[in-house]
C-alpha cells in the first residue's frame, strides 16, 4: 500500500522520518564500507518507548550475498547493548528469508507473526 502510494523514494523518506521520531544517538546510525571504500549498507538502531530496535538495516543490492548483513546486525546490536537499552527487537518482511535467517543466526528469536492492514480515510472539516 505505501509503496504504491509513495513510490520507493517516498517510502524511504517516510521510513526515515518515522525513525527520527524514536530515541537514538546520531552516532548509532551508521553507514558501512568495505576495504575498497564502497558503501555496503547501513544500520539504524533506535529506542522506542517500550524496547530497543534495529529500526532499519540494509545491504546495498550489489553487495548482497557476501555476509555483510551479519556484520551490520552485529554492529547495531552491539550499539544498543553498549547503550544499555534492552530488550532489543527487530522485524523483517515475511518473504525476506535471508534477513530472517540473519536474525536467527545472531540469536534473535521469532516471537510473533503478523499481517499489517491500512486504510486511507478522507475527512472533510466543515468551515
Amino acid at each position: 500500500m505505501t509503496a504504491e502510494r509513495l513510490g520507493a523514494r517516498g517510502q524511504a523518506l517516510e521510513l526515515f522520518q518515522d525513525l527520527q521520531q524514536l530515541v537514538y544517538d546520531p552516532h548509532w546510525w551508521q553507514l558501512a564500507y568495505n576495504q575498497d571504500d564502497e558503501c555496503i549498507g547501513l544500520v539504524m538502531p533506535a529506542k522506542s518507548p517500550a524496547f530497543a530496535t534495529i529500526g532499519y538495516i540494509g545491504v546495498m543490492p550489489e553487495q548482497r550475498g557476501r555476509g555483510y548483513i551479519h556484520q551490520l546486525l552485529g554492529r547495531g546490536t552491539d550499539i544498543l547493548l553498549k547503550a544499555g537499552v534492552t530488550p532489543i527487537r527487530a522485524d523483517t518482511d515475511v518473504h525476506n528469508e535471508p534477513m530472517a535467517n540473519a536474525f536467527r543466526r545472531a540469536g534473535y528469536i521469532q516471537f510473533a507473526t503478523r499481517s499489517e492492514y491500512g486504510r486511507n480515510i478522507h475527512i472533510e472539516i466543515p468551515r
Side-chain angles (χ1 to χ4, degrees), residues 96-113:
N96 190 344
E97 198 59 34
M99 188 69 243
N101 287 335
F103 284 130
R104 286 189 284 271
R105 183 173 171 186
Y108 285 75
I109 298 167
Q110 184 177 353
F111 66 92
T113 57

Side-chain angles (χ1 to χ4, degrees), residues 1-59:
M1 183 173 184
T2 301
E4 294 85 15
R5 179 173 51 90
L6 299 173
R9 184 180 175 90
Q11 187 178 7
L13 181 59
E14 183 177 75
L15 174 62
F16 181 73
Q17 291 168 338
D18 287 348
L19 289 172
Q20 287 180 309
Q21 302 305 306
L22 299 176
V23 175
Y24 65 95
D25 179 317
H27 294 100
W28 291 1
W29 292 9
Q30 298 185 3
L31 295 172
Y33 296 86
N34 64 16
Q35 293 109 348
D36 296 326
D37 208 31
E38 300 168 319
C39 185
I40 60 165
L42 73 155
V43 63
M44 300 170 72
K47 186 177 184 315
S48 74
F51 53 85
T53 184
I54 302 297
Y56 186 81
I57 186 169
V59 175

Side-chain angles (χ1 to χ4, degrees), residues 49-95:
F51 53 85
T53 184
I54 302 297
Y56 186 81
I57 186 169
V59 175
M60 302 295 284
E62 63 275 12
Q63 300 292 342
R64 292 180 184 157
R66 301 177 190 179
Y68 291 134
I69 194 63
H70 306 294
Q71 294 170 343
L72 287 167
L73 182 55
R75 181 70 176 171
T77 302
D78 287 346
I79 287 168
L80 293 170
L81 290 173
K82 287 178 182 170
V85 288
T86 58
I88 303 171
R89 293 187 179 173
D91 64 77
T92 188
D93 184 82
V94 295
H95 300 294

